[in-house]
Amino acid sequence: MLGRLGLWALLPTAVQAPPNRRTCVFFEAPGVRGSTKTLGELLDAGPGPPRVIRCLYSHCCFGIWNLTQGRAQVEMQGCRDSDEPGCESLHCDLSPRAHPSPGSTLFTCSCGTDFCNANYSHLPSPGNLGVPGPQGTQATPGESIWMALVLLGLLLLLLLLLSSIILALLQRKAYRVQGGPQPEPNSGRDWSEELPELPELPELCFSQVIQEGSHAVMWAGRLQGELVAIKAFPPRAVAQFRAERAVYELPGLQHDHIVRFITAGQGGPGSLPSGPLLILELHPKGSLCHYLTQHTSDWGSSLRMALSLARGLAFLHEERWQDGQYKPGIAHRDLSSQNVLIREDRSCAIGDLGLALVLPGFSGSPAWAPSQSQGPATIMEAGTQRYMAPELLDKTLDLQDWGTALRRADVYSLALLLWEIMSRCPDLSPGPWWTKGALGRLLGCSRSTTDS
C-alpha cells in the first residue's frame, strides 16, 4: 500500500562501520520525548536528516513509524540498548504496537544488519493490525474461539510458571537443609553467549577470599605469577559486571590513587561455576576501614592518606583531554572506607566502581554514555547508606544539574572518610580512647586489636 520509504538512498556511501559495530539510521521527529543518542556514536553523515549512528551496546537497529489515514511517517530510528528477541531479523518487518490517537497506529521493527532500519519491507494488512482501537471491536464467532484458545494457553502457561517457582523454592529449601550451595537464578542460562569476547584465563590462580559482596566475591590470586585481586561475579550478575567493566575501560582512567584495572576474563575457583571476572591491582594492606580499626597513624601518615584520597576523587570527577584521549567526569556514588584500599606507602587508592556513573560533559566533548540509564531512579541510586549525602537520603537531589549534584554528594562522603582518618591520629587527640576500638564499632568494622 505505502511501498518503501526510500531513506536508504539518502545515506552516503562513504559511511562504513567496523565489522564488530552495528551502524543504523538515526532520526528523531520534532516533539518526540526522550532521546536514544547516548546508545551510540553519532556520525556526521550529511547536512540534514537522516543521520548515522554507530551502536555501543547492541548489534540491533530499530524504527518506529506512525500510520495515519493510509500514510506512514517515520517517528524514530536508531540503536537498541540490547540485543533482544526480534533483533535477528535481516529486514525491518513492522508490527503494530499502540494507538496514540484515533485513526493512528504506531508500528515498530527491530533488525540486525547495517542500515536495516532505513525503511520497512511491508505493512500488515488493515485486518491484522492486532492492536485494539480506543473503543474496542466486536469479535466474530471465529475470533471468539481463537480468544478462548489463547486464554486457555495463557492459563496453562501460568500454571506451568507457578509449578516451576514452587519447585525452585523446594529445591532451594532442600539445599539449605543439606548445607549445600543454593542454585543461582538463571543458572541454566549460558551467560558466556552474552559476553563472547571474554577470554579464558587458565594461568589465573585463586588463593583466598578477601571480601564478599552482594554482587561479587573478591579473591586474592595470581595471574602469570603476579599478585592480583580477582572480582568474581556469579552468572546472575552479568549486568553488574558489564557496568563496572565499562567504567574501568574508559580511556585515560589511569591514576596512582585509582585501583588499576588489568584485564577481564572468565573462569572460577576450583569446582565452582565459571563466571565473568575483573582482574585488578592487589593491595595486601586491605581496605581503609580494616586498616583504621587495626592501626593509628601519626600526623604525616594521616595527611598522606587524606591527600591521596582527595586527589583520587578529584581525578575521577575531572573531565580532561590527555595524550589525545578524552576522559569524562565520573561520579563514584559508593565512596566508603570499605571501597578505599591502602597502598604499600600508606596512601589510598579508590576502588569498586560498580555504581559509578559517567557525568554529562561540556559542549564539544564526546557523548560518552553511562554504564546505566540516566533516569531519576538511577541518578538517586547510591551505595552505603551511612555515607550518603542528605539530598540522596531524602530524594531531594537537584536533577536539573545532576552532574554537579552527584559530585557534591561524593564530596560529602569524602568528608566522612577524612573524619575517620583524622579520628585515628593520636597527634590530634591523644588518650586511651584510641585503643578501645570505639571507632571500629561505630563504623561497623571489625574491632581494633593492635596499634601501629
Side-chain angles (χ1 to χ4, degrees):
M1 176 176 62
L2 297 175
R4 305 172 71 87
L5 293 182
L7 294 176
W8 181 271
L10 300 177
L11 297 174
T13 58
V15 176
Q16 296 292 332
N20 60 338
R21 297 276 293 279
R22 179 68 63 234
T23 306
C24 309
V25 174
F26 178 82
F27 175 79
E28 291 178 347
V32 172
R33 293 185 178 182
S35 177
T36 60
K37 291 181 180 179
T38 59
L39 299 180
E41 179 184 1
L42 282 177
L43 306 179
D44 292 325
R51 299 180 69 184
V52 176
I53 188 168
R54 187 170 296 159
C55 302
L56 290 175
Y57 304 109
S58 73
H59 295 80
C60 186
C61 304
F62 80 94
I64 302 177
W65 278 265
N66 190 348
L67 177 65
T68 305
Q69 297 179 351
R71 298 184 61 185
Q73 180 178 357
V74 62
E75 296 288 341
M76 293 184 72
Q77 293 163 303
C79 295
R80 292 286 296 271
D81 58 349
S82 62
D83 295 323
E84 298 180 2
C87 294
E88 64 275 7
S89 176
L90 301 180
H91 307 287
C92 178
D93 298 325
L94 294 181
S95 58
R97 282 295 180 265
H99 282 302
S101 61
S104 176
T105 304
L106 285 180
F107 291 81
T108 66
C109 76
S110 297
C111 50
T113 56
D114 288 340
F115 303 114
C116 61
N117 65 333
N119 44 37
Y120 56 80
S121 56
H122 69 280
L123 278 175
S125 62
N128 294 325
L129 292 183
V131 180
Q135 306 299 327
T137 57
Q138 186 67 33
T140 64
E143 291 175 340
S144 299
I145 296 175
W146 279 109
M147 289 176 63
L149 292 175
V150 170
L151 290 175
L152 180 60
L154 291 175
L155 180 60
L156 292 175
L157 182 61
L158 180 60
L159 291 175
L160 180 61
L161 179 61
L162 289 175
S163 301
S164 301
I165 293 175
I166 293 173
L167 180 60
L169 291 176
L170 291 175
Q171 289 178 343
R172 185 182 294 269
K173 183 177 180 180
Y175 273 101
R176 189 180 294 115
V177 171
Q178 297 171 6
Q182 297 183 12
E184 296 284 357
N186 299 328
S187 58
R189 184 177 178 180
D190 188 2
W191 62 269
S192 61
E193 294 180 358
E194 301 181 25
L195 301 167
E197 73 279 10
L198 286 181
E200 293 280 358
L201 300 173
E203 67 277 17
L204 182 66
C205 299
F206 294 77
S207 299
Q208 63 180 0
V209 173
I210 302 174
Q211 184 180 352
E212 293 191 37
S214 57
H215 295 302
V217 177
M218 187 68 74
W219 289 74
R222 289 182 177 272
L223 178 64
Q224 296 179 341
E226 177 186 359
L227 287 173
V228 294
I230 308 165
K231 193 167 187 178
F233 295 79
R236 60 178 170 81
V238 170
Q240 288 79 8
F241 163 80
R242 193 194 302 268
E244 187 166 1
R245 178 192 182 191
V247 176
Y248 272 118
E249 290 185 339
L250 286 173
L253 196 67
Q254 293 84 37
H255 193 269
D256 287 343
H257 304 301
I258 303 295
V259 172
R260 181 170 61 93
F261 170 73
I262 298 175
T263 188
Q266 56 177 305
S271 60
L272 293 181
S274 178
L277 308 172
L278 290 178
I279 312 301
L280 307 167
E281 181 181 17
L282 178 66
H283 296 285
K285 290 185 179 297
S287 69
L288 177 64
C289 176
H290 175 76
Y291 184 84
L292 291 178
T293 58
Q294 301 295 315
H295 304 278
T296 59
S297 298
D298 59 21
W299 171 246
S301 297
S302 299
L303 191 61
R304 183 186 301 112
M305 287 190 285
L307 287 176
S308 61
L309 187 55
R311 287 168 179 162
L313 184 62
F315 172 78
L316 269 185
H317 287 178
E318 183 182 12
E319 181 184 17
R320 62 162 60 183
W321 285 93
Q322 183 174 356
D323 299 329
Q325 289 185 321
Y326 169 74
K327 183 197 102 36
I330 301 167
H332 190 282
R333 303 200 302 157
D334 192 15
L335 196 60
S336 69
S337 56
Q338 289 282 9
N339 294 335
V340 173
L341 301 179
I342 300 297
R343 304 175 62 195
E344 289 296 333
D345 62 356
R346 295 192 182 184
S347 64
C348 295
I350 298 174
D352 198 341
L353 302 181
L355 288 179
L357 192 63
V358 174
L359 300 172
F362 301 123
S363 59
S365 301
W368 288 103
S371 56
Q372 306 168 28
S373 62
Q374 296 177 353
T378 298
I379 296 173
M380 289 292 186
E381 183 183 357
T384 310
Q385 188 174 25
R386 65 175 175 267
Y387 291 89
M388 289 169 60
E391 59 267 29
L392 286 172
L393 290 172
D394 58 16
K395 309 297 184 184
T396 59
L397 191 81
D398 181 12
L399 295 178
Q400 298 299 320
D401 187 10
W402 58 269
T404 301
L406 288 182
R407 285 185 174 97
R408 290 173 176 170
D410 276 354
V411 172
Y412 179 92
S413 303
L414 172 65
L416 294 179
L417 293 181
L418 297 181
W419 177 85
E420 291 184 31
I421 292 172
M422 296 306 170
S423 296
R424 292 295 283 169
C425 178
D427 292 343
L428 295 177
S429 180
W433 180 83
W434 300 102
T435 63
K436 298 178 181 179
L439 179 65
R441 291 191 292 274
L442 177 63
L443 299 177
C445 304
S446 59
R447 295 194 176 188
S448 173
T449 57
T450 61
D451 289 338
S452 61

